[in-house]
Amino acid sequence: MTDPLAVLAPLRATITSSTRICALTGAGISAASGVPTFRGGSESLWENVRPEELATPEAFHRDPAKVWRWYDWRRGMVAACEPNAAHHALVALEAACDRVTVVTQNVDGLHQRAGSRQVLEFHGSLWTLRCLGCRREVENHVTPLPPLPACDVCGGLMRPGVVWFGEAIDPEVMRASVDAVGDCDLLLVVGTSGLVYPAAGLARAGKESGATVLEFNLEEGGVSAWVDHFVPGSADATLPLLVPEA
Ligand code: BJW
Ligand code: ZN
């Protein structure tokens, strides 16, 4: 495997002169915290059910209790995890750069717990519930939850405040994310398979807007063809190499 330092050393000047950095992150950034990724690996399975079969509105309407059991299990698991060196490296970059925006596909809240100040949750959050009756959204960190959580106001069924397959990204989050990738000079694509759209399209959009695009991953994936440099390795080992004096 290529030495990540050998990839990054010639880029030192590009990195240190960047004034606007955007990080597009995926499940791989939280892997070292103990949060399972979605694809590749038996640990990503829950009760022998594939995430793709649970993360849909159809699955929720068919069997809300089953989908809630999965989310409740994940909430409990994530609550017991801590941000890792990769999350902390993005926070440390804020000291060295005018603006750092994290666009995360993750719903675990670990970037915020690490201290990142500008986080766009592209696929929502495990810690938000939305009422199917009155559409009210609430922040909720109770774990475990009752089997079918109900709205305090109208008694309707609450659903996880995440974006499932076939659902639209929140338009404001979409706009802010497109702005962030279009407006940065350095785009870090970290720990995502680059298979899920429209998130994966943000990497290409960044490239087309003139950013230098670095990908940090164990292996090449769906967006690697668009990036300028691929930095191999676990993100908790490679992202800290970006931080000055690291
Ligand atoms: C490490 C590491 C370490 C491991 N260090 N790296 C055909 C073509 C194009 C699009 C489509 C299509 N058919 C259908 C679509 C659309 C669909 C889609 O993209 N499907 C594809 C799968 C084909 N997209 C949608 O449906 C989206 N909505 C939409 O299109 O709406 C249209 C619309 C418009 C207007 C009105 C209505 C509708 C919504 C997508 C929502 C995705 N939601 C999920 C679940 C969120 C909630 C939850 O968490 O439960 O989001 S799915 C899941 O995948 C989750 C993730 O955020 C997302 C991306 O996964 P990610 O982060 O890339 O993780 P993995 O596991 O895939 O990869 C991990 C990576 O880490 C790997 O690369 C490893 O190598 C690496 N890694 N350890 C560094 N230590
Ligand atoms: Zn309600």
Side-chain angles (χ1 to χ4, degrees), residues 2 18 33 39 47 95 103 120 124 151 165-166 211-212 222:
T2 317
S18 297
S33 295
R39 296 166 187 86
E47 293 185 1
V103 179
L120 297 166
C151 174
F165 284 115
T212 299

Side-chain angles (χ1 to χ4, degrees), residues 21-37:
I21 296 177
C22 179
L24 171 64
T25 68
I29 197 170
S30 295
S33 295
V35 182
T37 60

Side-chain angles (χ1 to χ4, degrees), residues 14 53 62 71 118 149 151 160-161 165 167 191 234 239 243:
T14 305
E53 290 163 24
R62 203 164 41 237
Y71 280 94
Q118 180 65 32
C151 174
F165 284 115
E167 294 185 321
S234 185
L239 266 192
V243 181

Side-chain angles (χ1 to χ4, degrees), residues 25-32 36-40 44 51-52 54-55 70-71 74 86 104-108 122-126 160-169 190-199 215-222 231 233-238:
T25 68
I29 197 170
S30 295
T37 60
F38 289 90
R39 296 166 187 86
S44 63
E52 289 83 350
L54 291 166
W70 183 49
Y71 280 94
R74 290 173 58 195
T104 188
Q105 296 168 79
N106 300 344
V107 295
D108 55 29
F122 204 75
H123 290 157
S125 170
L126 279 179
V162 300
V163 182
W164 284 323
F165 284 115
E167 294 185 321
I169 308 305
V190 188
T192 177
S193 54
L195 296 175
V196 176
Y197 281 78
E215 181 179 19
F216 295 77
N217 204 310
L218 298 175
E219 60 188 25
E220 295 196 5
V231 186
S234 185
D236 65 311
T238 53

Side-chain angles (χ1 to χ4, degrees), residues 26-69:
I29 197 170
S30 295
S33 295
V35 182
T37 60
F38 289 90
R39 296 166 187 86
S42 55
E43 74 284 358
S44 63
L45 295 177
W46 172 82
E47 293 185 1
N48 294 320
V49 187
R50 291 159 52 80
E52 289 83 350
E53 290 163 24
L54 291 166
T56 69
E58 292 78 20
F60 189 71
H61 288 119
R62 203 164 41 237
D63 192 346
K66 180 178 182 179
V67 173
W68 259 123
R69 281 206 311 282

